[in-house]
Amino acid sequence: MDLQVGLWQKQSMKLAMTQELKQAIEVLQFSSQELASFLEEKAAENPLIELSSTNIKLVDSRFSGLSRAKGQKKSQDKNWIEQIPAQTETLPDFLISQLDMKALPNAIVKAVQLYARHLDANGYITIQVQEAAKMAAISEEDAEKALGILQSLDPAGIGARSLQECLLIQIKRDPDAPGHAEELISRHFLDFAEKKWRGIAKKLDISLQEIQRVSDYVQTLNPRPGSGFMADRPQYIVPDLLVKNHAGKLELYLVENQVPKLRLNESYASMNPSGDASVTRYLKEKTQEYYWIRKSIESRKETLLKVGAALLEKQRDFFLYGKGHLKPLTMKEISDEIGMHESTVSRAVREKYMETPFGTFPLKTFFTTALPVRSPGGEEAASSAEVKNEISALVSGEDKRKPLSDQAIVAVLNEKGFEISRRTVAKYREQLGIPSSSKRKRYE
């Protein structure tokens, strides 16, 4: 083997992931809320960056908030009821308020309060009876008694240790519960949930129709009795693009009012009375950072508009007639259309939304896989959304006593020209939240 040691020069080209390029990629995939948070962070770090909100308007001080313009109808005023703040009572507070403190020993009251503080968002307890007994310094017998008191409070089903116990609590407290309901849930819960009813009917010597009545009743119970006290603030979707239909003419707009405007503080950028070299270098770096951020934001806007315009062209029927007219489309087609890489399109549509005449949709909604369809004019393609609509229609119109199996759905779709496999039908059915045929079957 001939090994040599030496120095050689070699030229090569490669893409270097600079900090600026990484930042541009991050800005592109930010949603409106994420971009606003990013700019606020940068403004806090960089004294040269100033932000001005676009959705805040100044009020003219010459007009009083109590004055009313001539001819303005009183019906336009906000109702005083709308000004009442939302209820802030927590689930533990609501439960403790139901206790009769005088009729119960202090130790039991403290144990019930302990349980109330250890409930999850659904109203189930998160500690064991033995653990509660140690924490409250009482016997396990008293801890069990305290749990029973908690479970007797409203809402029914609160303080359960499992879904099975939650349902049983509600059944026991309901005088109108159907016969066999308690027995089915307490002794045959798993088989009942899996709809293995024939074996249960044989064991209990009851009809399938009776079990069906119990199943219908159980569907009316609340598996999450504590969810009504959840205090999570609602999350609102802010569209990035807006499409309007003006008598058949579609127009695309970029929604910018949710993102603060960026501005360079010129007076601060030119401030260096001492001529310190380190200060000059610092101001130069921060100025360059400002321009890079602004360039990244402008690039994001340009890319979003290009993607939106391409979607408007490719999915024109959707914007004119609704979701049922969604056509098969891939990100590769859009990337070829606008002359960008497919990964750039993927980043651009991440967590972005478009407001249309038929509602607000994620941009990813407009990208659907294609399935071959046989037609008199030759072979065409249908989107997965069309196939899902067909499956939903078939299931909603089926005889619930003899529901369609996945293979039966395949046969019907094949007759309509859709070339689809049973596995694909099962996947789409699960995505639609439709249970299997055995679980959809009813015994009337």
Side-chain angles (χ1 to χ4, degrees):
M1 182 183 292
D2 186 17
L3 296 176
Q4 296 182 358
V5 178
L7 297 174
W8 289 270
Q9 286 185 343
K10 183 180 178 182
Q11 285 186 335
S12 63
M13 294 181 65
K14 64 178 181 179
L15 180 64
M17 180 64 77
T18 62
Q19 185 65 29
E20 290 80 7
L21 180 58
K22 183 180 178 182
Q23 178 180 276
I25 292 173
E26 288 179 350
V27 169
L28 175 61
Q29 63 185 7
F30 281 156
S31 64
S32 297
Q33 296 93 329
E34 291 172 338
L35 180 58
S37 299
F38 169 78
L39 293 178
E40 289 172 2
E41 290 177 6
K42 288 299 180 181
E45 298 171 2
N46 191 338
L48 272 63
I49 295 178
E50 287 186 350
L51 300 180
S52 58
S53 178
T54 59
N55 55 4
I56 297 177
K57 297 181 179 179
L58 296 177
V59 177
D60 194 332
S61 59
R62 293 173 298 173
F63 297 95
S64 168
L66 298 176
S67 63
R68 188 175 286 115
K70 293 182 179 179
Q72 185 177 0
K73 296 181 180 179
K74 292 185 179 181
S75 60
Q76 294 178 349
D77 294 341
K78 290 185 177 179
N79 194 305
W80 64 271
I81 295 179
E82 297 178 5
Q83 308 303 316
I84 299 176
Q87 181 180 357
T88 57
E89 185 178 28
T90 64
L91 178 58
D93 292 339
F94 178 71
L95 294 171
I96 293 169
S97 68
Q98 300 177 53
L99 293 176
D100 187 354
M101 303 291 187
K102 295 180 180 179
L104 295 172
N106 289 336
I108 297 296
V109 171
K110 288 182 179 179
V112 174
Q113 293 173 338
L114 175 67
Y115 281 126
R117 291 194 300 269
H118 286 81
L119 295 173
D120 64 16
N122 295 323
Y124 293 82
I125 62 169
T126 57
I127 57 173
Q128 300 294 326
V129 173
Q130 297 82 356
E131 186 180 357
K134 290 181 181 179
M135 294 174 66
I138 58 175
S139 65
E140 290 187 14
E141 183 181 355
D142 285 343
E144 196 73 52
K145 182 179 178 181
L147 180 58
I149 293 173
L150 177 72
Q151 293 177 347
S152 68
L153 304 177
D154 289 327
I158 206 73
R161 287 161 284 194
S162 65
L163 174 62
Q164 183 181 14
E165 187 176 28
C166 178
L167 298 176
L168 278 172
I169 293 171
Q170 297 178 63
I171 291 170
K172 290 176 181 178
R173 292 176 59 175
D174 185 2
D176 298 324
H180 302 290
E182 186 175 342
E183 186 177 15
L184 284 171
I185 298 300
S186 61
R187 296 177 56 189
H188 306 279
F189 181 66
L190 292 179
D191 288 342
F192 176 78
E194 291 295 325
K195 221 163 186 179
K196 299 176 181 178
W197 292 356
R198 294 190 183 278
I200 300 175
K202 189 175 181 180
K203 286 180 183 177
L204 301 181
D205 192 24
I206 58 177
S207 66
L208 292 171
Q209 287 76 12
E210 289 181 89
I211 300 179
Q212 181 67 64
R213 282 193 289 272
V214 173
S215 176
D216 293 341
Y217 167 75
V218 169
Q219 297 296 324
T220 65
L221 302 180
N222 186 3
R224 303 171 59 204
S227 60
F229 289 84
M230 293 178 64
D232 292 345
R233 297 181 65 182
Q235 300 295 319
Y236 298 98
I237 293 176
V238 179
D240 300 89
L241 296 171
L242 172 64
V243 175
K244 289 187 176 181
N245 184 353
H246 296 287
K249 182 182 178 182
L250 299 174
E251 294 184 358
L252 178 69
Y253 302 91
L254 182 67
V255 181
E256 299 184 81
N257 61 346
Q258 298 298 325
V259 179
K261 292 291 185 182
L262 204 64
R263 192 171 70 87
L264 179 66
N265 189 328
E266 297 284 356
S267 59
Y268 203 113
S270 59
M271 186 184 296
N272 187 12
S274 62
D276 192 324
S278 61
V279 174
T280 302
R281 186 168 57 253
Y282 172 81
L283 293 175
K284 184 178 179 181
E285 290 175 359
K286 294 303 179 182
T287 303
Q288 187 177 8
E289 182 184 41
Y290 160 79
Y291 284 112
W292 266 110
I293 293 174
R294 193 176 72 173
K295 184 178 179 181
S296 300
I297 293 174
E298 292 302 321
S299 176
R300 176 182 180 272
K301 292 179 183 177
E302 183 181 347
T303 305
L304 271 177
L305 284 172
K306 284 184 177 179
V307 172
L311 288 175
L312 212 61
E313 179 184 347
K314 297 288 185 180
Q315 299 288 10
R316 180 177 177 81
D317 288 347
F318 170 89
F319 297 106
L320 290 176
Y321 309 114
K323 196 171 182 179
H325 298 269
L326 204 60
K327 295 180 179 178
L329 184 65
T330 63
M331 291 188 184
K332 181 68 168 60
E333 293 178 65
I334 295 296
S335 66
D336 292 341
E337 179 76 18
I338 64 178
M340 292 183 175
H341 197 272
E342 189 176 346
S343 62
T344 303
V345 176
S346 177
R347 292 188 181 97
V349 302
R350 174 196 170 273
E351 296 295 327
K352 309 294 193 307
Y353 294 83
M354 178 184 284
E355 184 179 334
T356 74
F358 305 97
T360 302
F361 301 91
L363 289 184
K364 287 186 177 180
T365 303
F366 304 103
F367 300 94
T368 60
T369 55
L371 290 172
V373 179
R374 297 186 304 275
S375 65
E379 190 172 287
E380 299 178 354
S383 68
S384 58
E386 291 181 67
V387 179
K388 288 179 181 180
N389 289 337
E390 290 285 345
I391 293 173
S392 295
L394 288 172
V395 171
S396 61
E398 69 184 358
D399 183 357
K400 298 304 179 183
R401 292 171 296 182
K402 296 180 180 179
L404 295 171
S405 65
D406 290 344
Q407 192 58 50
I409 294 175
V410 169
V412 175
L413 292 176
N414 285 341
E415 289 178 4
K416 293 186 175 184
F418 295 97
E419 297 182 9
I420 190 171
S421 66
R422 188 199 63 79
R423 182 179 296 179
T424 305
V425 167
K427 182 181 74 171
Y428 287 170
R429 175 178 56 74
E430 291 172 0
Q431 290 176 353
L432 291 168
I434 300 173
S436 62
S437 58
S438 62
K439 294 184 178 180
R440 298 200 308 272
K441 186 172 183 179
R442 290 186 60 84
Y443 300 90
E444 302 294 352

